[in-house]
């Protein structure tokens, strides 16, 4: 376990946010669940990391661990440094001032961060008075400024409404305003636009990008949709079963995707920029159980190129942050080995415990 | 999926009216209005919708949250009583049908909902959930089991392994398979799917879409597929209707909607779909604002408050849904007809109007009568 150093001051050559071999293990009644297992990345000011992967791949647990808001059964190990300052293992009280101010998060369901019985203005001003020590008048003015910034029409009038009186898109704008209230250095959006209309999704993503550029924040965009992160990130990490399987500068990842899972995930996205005959392709089967995870590549059971090597030995990702890293024995662009499972993509490998047997 | 242990016809429930096949549409909705009385006035959730659904065809019904998609689906099923208009299903008017007749009809129209987990009764076993429609129809128990097991296999679940479990033991995608099995077990003629994949991640989404597509081909069921994202319905739909604030903005076959969208709203919906390609230039300006409240819709064209090419005329007159090409109808004074240039502000928009002469009786029948008073410009 990394020895936490709670007193380091910002080091000039340190990135804004850096995670090293970060692990979040959950003590569940069924056994140890490795929700995040050895993840490393670094984000500079003004940079955006896209985090993609299927449901259950550990995206939320990863970003929650950066915020120090994991469930009580979680053990966080490894290292997370903000401006060179270690966050893992920091006493709660001290942690709260760091996390509360410097890393902020927007969730999929805005009601996670909104109090349904408090007016919008109260919710905004209360956190600013608490964290920034602002006076009432100052806080009020700043609240209106923030609501204007996030594009809420008639902010003065809207600030007096309760959350349920606003549309989903407006509510999400309010939670973004709340996240920005304390001028964070890092903003995390965990599926913040997943529940919204595509039109409103585009508005909110544009808004986040604008604000980030203006303030030079670091940002993490979490989504299960590669379309959402493609045009809006500098680097992308593809998560599978708690680990990064591919991590690379964005342009590189799309130009030369190497991991078989990245390729499958991309093939599943419904898109308009390809001929209609090119249908989205389902990834056969479902992600593995993180408690009983076997050795080898976690994607092997669903991968068309998997062979005995894949099932026996876990491919390594590589250590060099900033380069194109991928953990695959038979990356895209190399021939699938002879004798690989010819997964045809239509249910050949459906979850064996529940799915019907498919005659060979 | 290869399970072909069931002949396509084997699920046919009781006798259907033998007549009324041929070319007449399965479903004809005409000038449908659904109002709700709410504090402070009337909510026109569906404000005059007309369309036809051909036998064996799939209609994608697309629009933003709150535009009335679910309300329209519920009104078709007579789950709420439509305020005005007509719903003809297989030659029979549903809005005036007595209770007993409705019950039979409802079995022939099945629904799958967005939130798969809460749509399934958590206390019941999967077998009982799927069997429910057959039990209600009074089928003898010994005939129920084989039918339930067959349909479970068709949706890719092993009956032996799933029958005795309860919904919470399944993932979202598996619950959606169960919901589809429950709907398909009674061999419906029409399946209405209300955002069936909206809460699923992309790969499970593709699995469920594949399954519905397979069901469609296996049974010939007609389908209305509701979504808020045009990319999702592109492959499964034969026709698409784009809804805005309780009305249909544009409708046509998939080629018309995706290749030559004529309504600025359709264009904006297409542009909002993010391409998984960082090199792709952002297409078109982002659509600003949000859908207004159906309590007091804008005068004239309902879309004009967000429309990038709206002019004075748009506030004065309600555009009617008119045919601009065979089967392609649009409710806009200045249709784009595929000219992206118009969207960028070039004034060529009026030109295509010349082609818009109603094409004979076909078009006339499908064109809804203008709303009463719609010609009188409202003042705002
Ligand atoms: N409180 C908890 N107790 C036990 N297991 C949990 C808990 N929270 C999450 N998990 C498990 O941890 C793993 C990672 O979950 P996480 O929520 O990070 O996934 P995700 O990638 O964010 O998925 P989604 O796209 O559905 O949000 C999953 O296997 C999940 O079942
Ligand atoms: N029973 C009701 N009473 C009052 N208003 C209603 C009722 N049902 C729906 N509405 C209103 O009618 C409008 C259309 O709602 P509807 O649920 O049909 O939209 P939708 O297109 O299905 O949206 P979503 O994508 O969010 O599901 C909304 O403004 C809604 O608030
Ligand atoms: S009628 Fe006018 S406001 Fe409505 S969509 Fe067409 S151009 Fe825009
Ligand atoms: Mg999550
Ligand atoms: Mg709905």
């Amino acid at each position: 376990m990394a020895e936490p150093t709670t007193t380091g001051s910002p080091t000039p050559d340190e990135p804004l946010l850096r995670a090293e071999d970060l692990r979040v293990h959950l003590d569940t009644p069924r056994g140890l669940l490795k929700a995040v297992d050895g993840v490393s990345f670094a984000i500079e000011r003004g940079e955006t990391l896209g985090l993609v992967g299927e449901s259950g791949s550990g995206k939320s647990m990863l970003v929650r661990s950066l915020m120090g808001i994991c469930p009580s059964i979680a053990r966080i190990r490894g290292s997370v440094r903000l401006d060179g300052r270690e966050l893992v293992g920091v006493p709660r009280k001290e942690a709260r001032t760091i996390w509360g101010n410097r890393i902020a998060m927007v969730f999929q369901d805005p009601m996670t961060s909104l109090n349904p019985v408090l007016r919008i203005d109260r919710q905004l001003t209360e956190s600013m008075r608490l964290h920034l020590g602002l006076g009432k008048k100052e806080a009020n003015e700043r609240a209106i400024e923030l609501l204007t910034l996030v594009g809420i029409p008639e902010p003065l009038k809207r600030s007096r409404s309760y959350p349920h009186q606003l549309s989903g898109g407006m509510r999400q704008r309010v939670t973004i305003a709340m996240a920005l209230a304390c001028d964070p250095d890092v903003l995390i959006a965990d599926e913040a636009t997943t529940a919204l209309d595509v039109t409103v999704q585009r508005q909110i993503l544009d808004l986040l990008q604008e604000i980030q550029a203006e303030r030079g924040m670091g940002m993490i965009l979490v989504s299960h949709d590669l379309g959402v992160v493609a045009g809006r990130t500098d680097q992308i990490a593809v998560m599978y079963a708690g680990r990064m399987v591919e991590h690379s500068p964005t342009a590189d990842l799309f130009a030369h995707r190497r991991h078989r899972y990245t390729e499958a995930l991309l093939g599943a996205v419904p898109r308009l920029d390809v001929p209609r005959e090119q249908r989205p392709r389902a990834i056969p089967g479902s992600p593995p159980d993180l408690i009983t995870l076997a050795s080898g590549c976690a994607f092997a059971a669903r991968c068309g190129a998997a062979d005995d090597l894949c099932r026996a030995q876990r491919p390594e990702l590589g250590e060099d942050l900033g380069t194109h890293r991928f953990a695959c024995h038979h990356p895209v662009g190399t021939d699938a080995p002879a004798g690989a499972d010819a997964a045809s993509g239509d249910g050949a490998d459906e979850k064996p415990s529940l799915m019907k047997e498919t005659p060979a | 999926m290869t399970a072909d242990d069931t002949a396509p016809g084997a699920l046919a429930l009781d006798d259907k009216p033998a007549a009324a096949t041929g070319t007449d549409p399965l479903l004809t909705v005409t000038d449908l209005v659904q109002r709700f009385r709410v504090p402070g006035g009337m909510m026109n959730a569906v404000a005059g919708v007309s369309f036809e659904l051909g036998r064996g065809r799939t209609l994608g019904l697309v629009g933003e949250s709150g535009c009335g998609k679910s309300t329209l689906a519920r009104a078709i099923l007579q789950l709420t009583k439509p305020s005005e208009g007509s719903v003809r299903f297989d030659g029979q008017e549903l809005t005036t049908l007595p209770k007993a007749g409705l019950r039979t009809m409802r079995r022939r129209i099945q629904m799958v909902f967005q939130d798969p987990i809460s749509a399934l009764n958590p206390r019941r076993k999967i077998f009982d959930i799927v069997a429910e429609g057959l039990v209600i129809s009074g089928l003898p128990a010994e005939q129920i089991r084989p039918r339930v097991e067959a349909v479970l296999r068709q949706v890719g679940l092993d009956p032996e392994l799933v029958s005795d479990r309860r919904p919470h033991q399944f993932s979202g995608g598996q619950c959606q398979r169960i919901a589809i099995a429950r709907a398909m077990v009674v061999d419906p003629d029409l399946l209405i799917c209300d955002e069936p994949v909206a809460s699923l991640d992309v790969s499970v989404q593709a699995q469920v879409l594949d399954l519905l597509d397979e069901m469609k081909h296996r049974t010939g069921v007609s389908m209305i597929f509701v979504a808020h994202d045009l990319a999702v319905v592109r492959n499964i739909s034969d026709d698409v209707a784009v809804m805005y604030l309780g009305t249909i903005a544009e409708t046509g076959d998939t080629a018309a909607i995706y290749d030559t969208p004529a309504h600025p709203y359709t264009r904006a919906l297409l542009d909002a779909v993010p391409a998984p390609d960082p090199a792709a230039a952002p297409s078109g300006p982002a659509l600003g604002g949000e859908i207004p409240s159906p309590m007091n819709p804008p005068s004239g064209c309902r879309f004009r408050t967000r429309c990038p090419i709206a002019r004075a005329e748009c506030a004065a007159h309600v555009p009617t849904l008119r045919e601009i090409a065979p089967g392609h109808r649009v409710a806009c004074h200045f249709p784009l007809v595929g000219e992206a240039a118009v969207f960028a502000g070039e004034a060529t928009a009026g030109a295509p109007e010349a082609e818009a002469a109603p094409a004979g009786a076909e078009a006339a029948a499908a064109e809804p009568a203008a709303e009463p008073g719609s010609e009188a410009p409202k003042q705002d």
Side-chain angles (χ1 to χ4, degrees):
Chain A
M1 195 193 311
E3 197 57 25
T5 48
T6 58
T7 45
S9 55
T11 350
D13 53 345
E14 276 277 344
L16 174 62
L17 182 71
R18 180 188 194 103
E20 256 171 35
D21 196 24
L22 183 59
R23 277 161 288 157
V24 184
H25 293 182
L26 307 178
D27 251 319
T28 74
R30 282 175 52 226
L32 191 68
L33 188 152
K34 299 179 177 176
V36 178
D37 200 28
V39 162
S40 305
F41 64 87
I43 305 174
E44 305 288 353
R45 272 177 202 286
E47 204 182 13
T48 302
L49 164 71
L51 209 53
V52 291
E54 278 166 290
S55 187
S57 57
K59 307 181 297 293
S60 293
M61 208 52 80
L62 169 57
V63 291
R64 280 165 178 268
S65 73
L66 305 174
M67 291 276 297
I69 49 170
C70 287
S72 55
I73 54 168
R75 258 185 310 152
I76 305 178
R77 288 188 292 176
S79 157
V80 176
R81 291 203 300 279
L82 184 64
D83 267 340
R85 211 161 146 205
E86 182 60 51
L87 300 179
V88 174
V90 172
R92 264 199 187 270
K93 214 169 142 211
E94 190 184 339
R96 216 171 23 235
T97 59
I98 305 175
W99 279 314
N101 287 332
R102 302 201 53 196
I103 306 183
M105 183 135 132
V106 181
F107 299 86
Q108 170 168 350
D109 178 4
M111 292 314 282
T112 328
S113 25
L114 292 174
N115 183 336
V117 298
L118 272 192
R119 277 180 9 190
I120 301 300
D121 51 357
R122 280 277 301 284
Q123 314 207 22
L124 270 166
T125 53
E126 252 172 35
S127 85
M128 285 189 285
R129 296 181 66 183
L130 188 75
H131 288 294
L132 302 179
L134 295 186
K136 194 170 173 186
K137 186 161 165 281
E138 255 178 312
N140 271 331
E141 280 167 8
R142 195 160 149 67
I144 301 301
E145 260 171 47
L146 283 168
L147 291 176
T148 314
L149 175 75
V150 297
I152 293 192
E154 304 182 85
L156 201 61
K157 192 172 136 202
R158 295 291 179 99
S159 73
R160 303 215 181 87
S161 20
Y162 292 90
H164 70 90
Q165 295 172 310
L166 302 176
S167 70
M170 284 299 155
R171 264 182 238 153
Q172 201 55 291
R173 286 175 195 267
V174 171
T175 63
I176 293 172
M178 287 176 67
L180 294 173
C182 298
D183 243 331
D185 296 308
V186 179
L187 184 64
I188 300 171
D190 188 358
E191 308 267 11
T193 60
T194 305
L196 302 174
D197 283 316
V198 279
T199 48
V200 180
Q201 162 169 288
R202 181 163 170 198
Q203 293 171 10
I204 300 271
L205 290 171
D206 286 348
L207 173 72
L208 287 172
Q209 224 173 350
E210 246 166 62
I211 294 174
Q212 182 216 17
E214 233 163 67
R215 304 189 164 205
M217 293 183 298
M219 189 152 84
I220 301 180
L221 268 187
V222 180
S223 178
H224 63 85
D225 182 351
L226 273 163
V228 166
V229 296
R232 303 177 187 273
T233 55
D234 303 293
Q235 42 169 318
I236 291 186
V238 181
M239 301 269 299
Y240 191 76
R243 304 177 68 93
M244 283 185 183
V245 293
E246 185 159 8
H247 180 202
S248 144
T250 302
D252 239 30
L253 183 112
F254 281 93
H256 314 283
R257 50 186 178 277
R258 303 306 305 278
H259 201 282
R260 301 271 170 185
Y261 176 65
T262 310
E263 163 131 280
L265 197 60
L266 197 60
V269 179
R271 52 199 296 179
L272 295 173
D273 58 345
V274 297
R276 180 159 180 256
E277 304 74 62
Q278 195 177 322
R279 307 164 51 97
R281 266 171 294 120
I283 308 175
S286 43
D289 182 342
L290 296 182
I291 293 174
T292 55
L293 207 55
S295 58
C297 172
F299 188 56
R302 306 169 74 187
C303 179
D307 64 0
D308 288 341
L309 174 65
C310 305
R311 283 179 284 268
Q313 199 181 99
R314 189 167 64 204
E316 291 302 328
L317 181 64
E319 311 253 289
D320 260 346
L321 292 187
T323 63
H324 190 156
R325 310 190 290 156
F326 50 91
C328 181
H329 289 306
H330 309 294
V332 179
T334 62
D335 288 337
D341 315 321
S344 57
D346 51 7
D349 254 319
E350 298 282 74
K351 199 176 191 180
S353 58
L354 294 173
M355 300 301 186
K356 64 184 169 140
E357 295 291 316
T358 320
Chain B
M1 261 150 261
T2 49
D4 235 330
D5 31 26
T6 333
L11 284 181
L13 258 203
D14 41 45
D15 2 271
K16 283 173 210 166
T21 34
T23 54
D24 60 320
L26 178 68
L27 180 74
T28 310
V29 173
T30 315
D31 296 335
L32 194 70
V33 174
Q34 183 73 66
R35 283 187 210 102
F36 300 109
R37 190 178 297 284
V38 292
M42 274 300 192
M43 178 80 89
N44 282 297
V46 174
V49 161
S50 304
F51 67 88
E52 280 177 1
L53 178 67
R55 288 167 199 276
R57 287 185 82 84
T58 294
L59 173 76
L61 185 64
V62 181
E64 284 167 293
S65 180
C67 72
K69 306 180 295 294
S70 299
T71 306
L72 175 58
R74 297 172 60 84
I76 290 169
L77 260 172
Q78 309 295 308
L79 292 175
T80 56
K81 187 159 173 34
S83 317
E84 286 172 34
S86 137
V87 177
R88 284 185 83 75
F89 176 74
D90 204 5
Q92 210 165 2
E93 178 61 45
L94 298 191
T95 52
T96 53
L97 211 60
K99 273 227 166 68
L102 264 184
R103 256 202 305 276
T104 336
M105 273 311 160
R106 280 217 191 108
R107 204 164 61 235
R108 299 180 56 196
I109 310 177
Q110 288 291 314
M111 200 150 166
V112 172
F113 298 92
Q114 168 170 357
D115 184 357
I117 294 162
S118 69
L120 303 176
N121 186 337
R123 277 183 286 277
R124 307 195 63 193
K125 292 180 180 170
I126 302 309
F127 182 91
D128 298 325
I129 289 174
V130 175
E132 191 180 0
L134 297 176
V135 174
I136 291 173
S137 75
L139 202 71
E142 69 273 13
Q143 290 181 34
I144 290 180
R145 178 159 293 274
R147 304 245 311 240
V148 170
E149 293 184 347
V151 80
L152 280 172
R153 262 180 232 116
Q154 284 172 7
V155 300
L157 297 169
D158 185 336
E160 273 181 47
L161 294 170
V162 304
S163 288
D164 290 333
R165 301 205 194 189
R166 287 170 221 275
H168 70 265
Q169 292 171 284
F170 294 88
S171 69
Q174 287 163 341
C175 282
Q176 208 55 291
R177 287 174 193 267
I178 294 163
I180 292 167
R182 174 179 66 174
M184 292 305 293
V185 78
V186 294
D187 194 22
D189 298 301
L190 173 60
L191 182 66
I192 302 181
C193 301
D194 191 357
E195 309 226 27
V197 298
S199 62
L200 307 175
D201 72 34
V202 278
S203 107
V204 184
Q205 209 174 71
Q207 291 178 357
V208 172
L209 285 169
D210 279 351
L211 173 62
L212 285 170
D213 207 48
E214 190 199 318
M215 283 291 174
K216 194 170 100 174
H217 287 112
R218 181 197 291 269
T219 65
V221 67
S222 307
M223 199 152 35
I224 296 178
F225 190 107
V226 176
H228 61 253
D229 179 344
L230 273 167
V232 166
V233 300
R234 186 180 180 208
N235 292 99
I236 201 160
S237 304
D238 302 301
D239 305 297
V240 174
V242 176
M243 243 183 125
Y244 190 77
L245 202 52
T247 59
I248 289 182
E250 179 167 11
T251 176
D253 62 20
T254 44
I257 297 294
Y258 292 91
D259 302 339
T260 55
H263 200 287
Y265 181 57
T266 310
R267 179 78 255 167
L269 281 183
L270 289 169
D271 287 345
V273 174
D277 174 6
S283 42
L287 187 62
E290 290 181 17
I291 196 165
S293 159
M295 287 272 286
N296 57 57
S299 70
C301 173
R302 293 174 165 241
F303 183 56
R304 72 171 164 86
T305 51
R306 297 169 76 195
C307 179
I309 59 166
R311 307 181 201 172
E313 174 142 10
C314 305
H317 302 288
V318 176
T320 52
L321 197 62
R322 65 206 164 90
E323 194 157 53
I324 55 166
H328 187 181
R329 285 191 274 276
V330 60
C332 171
H333 295 306
F334 306 105
L336 308 170
V337 227
E339 293 292 322
V342 179
F343 203 47
E346 270 176 41
T348 53
E353 278 198 319
E355 307 164 14
E362 238 182 320
E367 212 148 287
E371 284 167 285
S374 65
E375 293 309 319
K378 286 180 202 151
Q379 235 51 63
D380 53 345

